[in-house]
Amino acid sequence: MSDQVGKKTLGLRGGTQRDRVKQSFSHGRTKDVVVETKRKRVVVPKHGSNSPAAGGGSGTPKAPRGIKGVSDAEMERRLKALSKAKAVEADEARKREENEQRRIEELERRRLEAEAKEREMREQREREREEAAQRREQEQEQRIAATDQTPAAEERRGGTRPAPKPAAKAPPRRQERQDRKPRDTRSRSREGDGRRSGKLTVNQALRGGEGARQKSLASIRRKQERARQKAMGGPIEREKIIRDVQLPEAIMVSELANRMSEKVSDVVKVLMQNGIMATQTQTIDADTAELIIQEFGHKTVRVSDADVEQVIDQVEDKPGDLLPRPPVITVMGHVDHGKTSLLDAIRDSRVVAGEAGGITQHIGAYQVEQDGRPLTFLDTPGHAAFTSMRARGAHVTDIVVLVVAANDQVMPQTVEAINHAKAAGVPIIVAINKVDLESADIQKVRTDLLQHEVVVEAMSGQVQDVEVSAKTGLGLDKLLEAIALQAEILEIKANPNRAAQGAVIEAQLDVGRGPVATVLVQRGTLRQGDVFVVGEQWGKVRAMESDRGLRVKEAGPSVPVEVLGLNGTPEAGDVLNVVETEAQAREIAEYRQNAAKEKRATAGAAITLDQLLAKAKADKDVAELPIVMKADVQGSAEAIVQAMEKIGNEMVRVRVLHSGVGAVTETDIGLAEASKAPVIGFNVRANAAARNTAHRKGVEIRYYSVIYDLVDDVKAAASGLLSAEVRERFIGYAEIRQTFRVSDVGNVAGCLVTEGVARRSAGVRLLRDNVVVHEGTLKTLKRFKDEVEEVQSGQECGMAFENYDDIRVGDMIEIFEREEVERTLD
């Protein structure tokens, strides 16, 4: 026990140290915490155990001891990865150094090139200055010699020679100038030249100068030119450039200055000098602009807005470029004479089944083959409402097949087709259809055609006629042979290797495909991707479909295709032209739209106030039937509008507020509601929103698929606006034999009914010497003392007029009744 007195307790070396730490909390609260710090025990190896000097003193270090828990193989892999990473890092550092070195060398090369160029330019300027100085010295010496010539001559005449001038003074002056030149050059280089002094540093090259805006190469050249001219003896006036200024009908002042390459302020100043106060944003006319252009010494080139259409290729084709093309045959004739059935038999398809009521409503374009040669057929409607459509068909065709029914005669629409063909200068082939019927009279048809100057071959004429039957197929081969023969005679050719040009046969707004146009290519080849302009619209051929519904990539002359990719629906009959760029097509379309708008505005402005007043007075008693009409294709819409304009008389008329292509929309319903007009849809329907709006607002929508029914219904509706016709029917005459004065009644006429009957409810006129002096009604009609309703002929009666007393013996009384008769439009 005594041995342990005074000894320390067994524990770790160093023990545990205690310390107090102030711990802070939120809201400013603190707390003292006791913290214990434990020291780690360090094991020091004893001398001579595993020291490097031990083990025989070989001096070879041993491999490091492995980490606890890591095998030797894993340690070897880690060492290899570490060495590989170090190698990669060293390689990247080397590459960075090489790149930096190449960049420095490139900068140094650029600096040397810039210094060499600057030195060369400086030497050039020095040479120019020396040459200029030498020229000035020579000129000065010549002037001195010229001034000294006269005194020298006088002294020679006087016999004395002048003393020679000291020649040693000239070299010092020249030497002084040579000594002064480098100093002046250095001072100009530092002060006025504006060039960079010193060597080009890396920072200056990367920064693009000393942080300031660098001058352009053109400004440096201009400055060098001015310095050279100044060194040559003064500034030289530059020669003015005369420009050809294109001048439209109206131009803005700033644009005029830009085209002349003059300052806007100078142009405005010249305008003010000519008494025209205009700013740079104002527009001046062509005559004023031409005067300004002449003031500045330029030339004027007058251009028009219509010049934008000059990009359309109008070059005539060379005869060597023309190749044979399929003929375009138009089938014409009266309605229900079998045009479409005839073409149906040729095409061996059912076209008639797709037309409402068996009537062709559109112009259809189809292609068939005859003996390996294609033939393009246009089927035009025969109804009178489609006269304009037939006219367009005649203008794009080569041969007209005139279909006449053998059981009928030459009808008005047949005569119109003949006139269209003659106006277009197109040969006619007469197809006498329905020869299989018992009532067919072929000879009568040929005789009727003589009245219209159509003499067939059977009547010793030049026009071919073929007897056919669309029902049985009789004579179809002969008809095709006649068409092929006529095409050979015409020698129809076109150039397929040029920009396409064609005519729009029909156009419509398809719900799924957008605006679609049926185009008959006349010249060139229309390809997918071509940019074109057609009428007031333009577009890019997105896709093309043949008459069979197949997608095609290109269409040559006389090939009908449906074109997709228009920005709007064109008018049927518009001409399609292919241009180079979309900008040109858009510019031409905008010009045509503006021209059409100005034409409509000019037509409206041409009416004077007196004409407006006269028209308003004339229309005061005219009843109008407004309608809003939508159709499936442009041709049908145009034909219906023309038919509507023909309905009416001096008392009532039909006014089409709006006509368009496509489905009936809410906008159409709103227009119809504001105008209290019905909406007519021809082969189109209203969308769901339009139907709901029409039901809510009470707007009537009528759908039609046959033009006959549409015209008849509109005519009946217009007839309902006519006021009933009032007709007078005379029922009797009476003669005044005597007059009486009755209190509370007035003058009473004693009359004898000479003809007919006198009724109290009827109207009366008082005739004096066969002149009407009063018209009115009867106040009283008496037979003796009784009031009666009527008095027969040969009986006497008493009559008194309502609000009229001037009656005399011998006057005649005309008795009549009015009746209303409903009127209809013929």
Side-chain angles (χ1 to χ4, degrees), residues 618-639:
D619 295 344
K620 181 175 64 175
D621 298 330
V622 178
E624 284 188 345
L625 174 62
I627 62 172
V628 177
M629 191 274 300
K630 297 298 285 291
D632 55 342
V633 295
Q634 187 66 37
S636 298
E638 181 180 342

Side-chain angles (χ1 to χ4, degrees), residues 98 172 192 235 303 340 358 495 514 540 670 724 773 784 812:
E98 292 177 355
V303 295
T340 308
N495 181 14
K540 185 176 183 180
V773 296
F784 299 108
M812 294 295 295

Side-chain angles (χ1 to χ4, degrees), residues 224-405:
Q224 293 174 355
E225 181 67 18
R226 288 195 297 270
R228 187 182 67 82
Q229 292 176 357
K230 188 175 181 180
M232 292 292 292
I236 301 175
E237 293 292 335
R238 290 186 300 172
E239 183 179 358
K240 185 176 181 62
I241 301 176
I242 299 176
R243 305 180 185 276
D244 293 335
V245 182
Q246 292 186 352
L247 182 60
E249 297 175 359
I251 189 171
M252 193 179 295
V253 175
S254 58
E255 178 63 20
L256 178 61
N258 186 24
R259 295 187 181 186
M260 293 190 300
S261 298
E262 303 287 350
K263 293 181 180 180
V264 180
S265 58
D266 296 341
V267 177
V268 173
K269 188 184 299 181
V270 174
L271 285 170
M272 294 176 66
Q273 291 174 358
N274 287 272
I276 301 172
M277 300 299 174
T279 61
Q280 63 178 352
T281 58
Q282 290 183 352
T283 303
I284 57 177
D285 57 6
D287 296 334
T288 305
E290 186 173 4
L291 293 176
I292 302 303
I293 294 172
Q294 293 176 358
E295 287 279 346
F296 283 94
H298 299 291
K299 296 180 180 180
T300 305
V301 179
R302 286 289 189 107
V303 295
S304 175
D305 293 339
D307 293 342
V308 298
E309 297 198 16
Q310 292 181 355
V311 298
I312 299 176
D313 190 8
Q314 299 292 347
V315 180
E316 293 295 331
D317 297 321
K318 298 179 180 179
D321 298 335
L322 300 179
L323 300 177
R325 65 171 176 85
V328 180
I329 304 99
T330 300
V331 183
M332 289 186 175
H334 188 68
V335 62
D336 202 27
H337 274 204
K339 300 180 302 301
T340 308
S341 300
L342 182 63
L343 183 60
D344 178 29
I346 296 174
R347 296 180 65 232
D348 194 19
S349 62
R350 300 302 301 170
V351 180
V352 177
E355 297 288 352
I359 305 169
T360 303
Q361 310 286 341
H362 315 128
I363 293 182
Y366 316 100
Q367 261 198 337
V368 299
E369 287 191 1
Q370 170 66 16
D371 297 334
R373 294 182 57 185
L375 304 175
T376 302
F377 281 89
L378 296 182
D379 180 22
T380 60
H383 189 267
F386 294 89
T387 302
S388 61
M389 296 175 65
R390 287 202 309 277
R392 286 196 300 269
H395 283 300
V396 297
T397 189
D398 301 314
I399 303 171
V400 169
V401 175
L402 184 64
V403 180
V404 184

Side-chain angles (χ1 to χ4, degrees), residues 391-425:
R392 286 196 300 269
H395 283 300
V396 297
T397 189
D398 301 314
I399 303 171
V400 169
V401 175
L402 184 64
V403 180
V404 184
N407 63 339
D408 204 346
Q409 57 185 351
V410 177
M411 302 299 288
Q413 283 75 34
T414 308
V415 178
E416 290 180 6
I418 294 173
N419 295 333
H420 289 317
K422 289 182 178 179

